[in-house]
Amino acid sequence: MKTNVGVVFGGRSVENEISVVTANQMMHAMDPEKYNIIPIYITKSGKWYSGEALKNVDNYRDTKSLLAQCEEVYVRPVYGDTNLYRCNKGFFQKAVLAKLDVVVPALHGTNCEDGTFQGVMEFAGIPYAGCNTLASANGMDKITMKMILKECGIPVIDYCWFSDKEWFDRQEKVVENIEGKLGYPVIVKPANLGSSVGIKAAHNKEELLDAIENAIQFTNRIIIEKYVQKLKEVNCAVLGNYYDCQASVCEVPVRSGEILSYQDKYMNGGSKKSQGMQSTVREIPANLPEATTTFIQNAACETFRALSCDGVSRIDFIIDEATDEIFVNEINTIPGSLSFYLWEYSRINFSALVDKLIEIAIRRQQDANKKVVNYGDNIFSGKAVQGAKMGGKMGGKLGK
Ligand SMILES: Nc1ncnc2c1ncn2[C@@H]1O[C@H](COP(=O)(O)OP(=O)(O)O)[C@@H](O)[C@H]1O
Ligand SMILES: [Mg+2]
C-alpha cells in the first residue's frame, strides 16, 4: 500500500515562486514506489488546487492555463477528517479527491511557514512534516525568535524593535532609541518576511528613515540590528525533532553586494530556469576551522531545540570577522530546497530526506494522539452546573 502524500506549496507569500521550485524538486526526488504524490498548490490569492500538471515547473509560466488543468480543492477543519475535497464535484465524481495520510509543506514565508498552514493541519488532525504551529510562528518572527534565543544564552546580534503604530506616533523617539542603543550602521528588516525582501542597511539617519519606510510597507513589526560590516555568513541545517536531532555540514553562501540578496539566492548560475536555493553560489562544506564548524553545528542544534522544531530547518549564522564572534542570524523552518544539498554530504539524498520527514511527521501525530486532550467530567452536568448557576454567590468565578 502506497502512502498518500499531499505536497503543499505556493501560498500568499512573497516567496510563492521559490516554494514552487522547492516542491517540484521534492516531488521529483520522492520514491514513486512508496508514495502517491498529491500536489496541492495554493495560489497567491489563497485558493487551493490539485492536479498532475502541477508537477511540471515549466507549466507555471502561464498560471491561468495551468490552473485550468487542475481542480480547486479544500480540507475541512474538522478533527479526524483527513480528506482532500473537490470544490466543484462533477456528476460522476466523488466529493473526495484523495485521503491524505500525511502532508509535506514545501511552503515558504508569511501565511505559510509561520504556523498559519500548520494550524489548519492541527485542526484537521492531518499528520504533517516540519515544525508545529508554535515553532513555526516563533521561528518566522525575527523579534520573537531572538528574544527566545537570547533567553537561552544563544548569541544573537544586538537589536531593537518597534511596531508601525509606534513609528507613526513617535518617529523621533524611535530614531533616538535606535541611535542610542545601536548607533550606525544598522540593518532594517521586516520581522516576518524572508528572501531578503524589505531589508536595507542604513549608514546614517537619512538612510535609516528610508529603510524603515521601505520595510514598513511589508509588515507591522520592524527589527533593527547592528550591521556587521566585515562578515562571513555560514548556514547549517538540522534534521530531527526536539529530543533527537543532527546537524548537517556547513555552507558559505556567496553574495554580490551589501546583503545576500534575492538575486544572489535564486537567480545565479546563468540558468534560465530558477532552481531555487540550488542556484545560490556557495562553498560546501564551508572551509572553516574545525572549532568554528563544531561551535556552529552545536549552536544550530541548540537553536532547533530551544524553538522546539521538528523536521528539517536551516539555521543561518553571521561571523563578525572583526571580532571572531559567531551569532545566530535566523532560522528557516522550511528552508529553500529543504536544504537537500547539505544532507547529501551526510549520505542522506533528497529521497531519503523526504522519507525521514514523513517518518517524523507520522511519529509526532502518534505521540500527540497519546496525550490527554479532554480533562475531567462535563462541568455542565451535575454539581458543576449548580456551581455555575450560583455564579452570583461565588463571585462569578469559575476557577479558570
Ligand atoms: N546584522 C547584519 N549585518 C550585516 N548583514 C546582515 C545582517 N543581518 C542580515 N544581513 C544580510 O542580509 C541578508 C538577509 O537577512 P536575513 O536576516 O537572513 O533575512 P531573510 O529572512 O530575508 O533571509 C543576510 O543573508 C545577510 O547577507
Ligand atoms: Mg536569511
Side-chain angles (χ1 to χ4, degrees):
M1 276 281 280
K2 290 191 196 178
T3 306
N4 282 352
V5 183
V7 175
V8 183
F9 55 100
R12 292 177 51 240
S13 156
V14 293
E15 294 172 287
N16 176 295
E17 282 93 352
I18 312 305
S19 145
V20 169
V21 178
T22 295
N24 270 271
Q25 289 170 336
M26 190 177 99
M27 288 191 283
H28 288 114
M30 287 167 70
D31 185 349
E33 300 289 317
K34 282 191 202 158
Y35 306 118
N36 285 321
I37 302 167
I38 302 143
I40 302 168
Y41 173 64
I42 305 177
T43 65
K44 288 182 182 176
S45 63
K47 288 187 172 177
W48 296 29
Y49 285 87
S50 188
E52 285 301 301
L54 295 168
K55 290 181 179 170
N56 184 349
V57 81
D58 292 333
N59 291 340
Y60 292 79
R61 281 194 197 128
D62 180 356
T63 23
K64 211 170 163 197
S65 89
L66 169 62
L67 297 183
Q69 301 169 59
C70 300
E71 292 186 82
E72 198 181 338
V73 293
Y74 65 96
V75 291
R76 293 170 68 223
V78 176
Y79 192 80
D81 185 350
T82 66
N83 291 324
L84 182 68
Y85 291 94
R86 295 187 161 96
C87 288
N88 306 302
K89 181 182 95 64
F91 195 69
F92 295 107
Q93 281 179 319
K94 287 185 182 152
V96 175
L97 180 74
K99 182 181 176 312
L100 301 171
D101 295 321
V102 61
V103 159
V104 184
L107 296 154
H108 303 308
T110 338
N111 304 312
C112 295
E113 192 181 342
D114 57 1
T116 315
F117 175 78
Q118 291 72 10
V120 175
M121 295 294 101
E122 294 281 352
F123 241 94
I126 302 172
Y128 62 98
C131 286
N132 67 10
T133 314
L134 175 76
S136 303
N138 285 338
M140 181 54 107
D141 188 277
K142 290 180 165 70
I143 303 166
T144 310
M145 175 199 66
K146 284 189 174 148
M147 286 173 176
I148 295 171
L149 298 189
K150 213 170 157 185
E151 173 67 23
C152 294
I154 299 167
V156 293
I157 293 169
D158 283 346
Y159 67 93
C160 56
W161 68 276
F162 56 89
S163 71
D164 55 353
K165 188 84 177 80
E166 285 169 83
W167 179 248
F168 298 136
D169 288 353
R170 40 195 141 91
Q171 192 164 316
E172 273 311 311
K173 197 115 198 94
V174 172
V175 172
E176 218 173 83
N177 184 36
I178 296 166
E179 289 179 339
K181 214 168 158 191
L182 307 175
Y184 291 106
V186 290
I187 186 159
V188 179
K189 306 178 184 178
N192 62 348
L193 257 61
S195 292
S196 306
V197 175
I199 298 184
K200 271 189 182 181
H203 302 84
N204 51 50
K205 188 170 175 181
E206 198 188 341
E207 287 179 10
L208 177 67
L209 299 185
D210 174 67
I212 293 173
E213 290 300 336
N214 175 55
I216 228 155
Q217 301 175 79
F218 297 98
T219 187
N220 60 344
R221 278 153 68 81
I222 305 293
I223 181 165
I224 319 270
E225 292 167 16
K226 265 196 170 145
Y227 179 74
V228 179
Q229 307 198 55
K230 205 165 163 276
L231 86 174
K232 181 175 249 182
E233 295 185 58
V234 181
N235 303 339
C236 177
V238 175
L239 174 64
N241 52 31
Y242 65 91
Y243 56 85
D244 181 20
C245 63
Q246 67 179 111
S248 73
V249 294
C250 296
E251 64 165 331
V252 175
V254 177
R255 59 191 192 160
S256 55
E258 203 165 36
I259 66 167
L260 187 71
S261 67
Y262 190 90
Q263 281 72 20
D264 290 332
K265 285 175 180 171
Y266 308 119
M267 297 166 113
N268 274 325
S271 163
K272 272 194 208 137
K273 228 192 238 180
S274 174
Q275 299 195 312
M277 279 297 282
Q278 211 179 346
S279 63
T280 310
V281 179
R282 54 165 63 87
E283 178 188 288
I284 313 178
N287 184 15
L288 298 167
E290 203 180 314
T292 308
T293 303
T294 307
F295 181 92
I296 288 177
Q297 287 173 327
N298 287 339
C301 286
E302 199 45 39
T303 300
F304 193 83
R305 200 185 72 80
L307 294 166
S308 201
C309 296
D310 291 307
V312 67
S313 292
R314 197 188 76 230
I315 293 98
D316 295 351
F317 292 79
I318 286 181
I319 303 179
D320 186 338
E321 291 189 301
T323 60
D324 279 340
E325 285 171 288
I326 304 174
F327 303 100
V328 170
N329 178 39
E330 63 156 345
I331 184 167
N332 297 283
T333 54
I334 309 182
S337 305
L338 303 185
S339 295
F340 79 89
Y341 49 86
L342 291 174
W343 293 106
E344 285 174 341
Y345 289 82
S346 312
R347 300 222 171 89
I348 302 172
N349 66 22
F350 206 164
S351 172
L353 177 64
V354 182
D355 290 349
K356 280 193 190 289
L357 294 179
I358 289 175
E359 214 180 282
I360 295 166
I362 291 173
R363 199 179 324 135
R364 179 175 60 195
Q365 186 67 32
Q366 286 165 350
D367 288 347
N369 290 344
K370 289 184 204 147
K371 298 284 180 196
V372 177
V373 287
N374 293 309
Y375 182 70
D377 295 330
N378 180 354
I379 65 157
F380 295 110
S381 65
K383 278 184 187 163
V385 164
Q386 280 177 16
K389 276 185 189 157
M390 292 189 328
K393 221 174 175 181
M394 293 165 69
K397 282 185 189 156
L398 280 169
K400 191 177 158 215

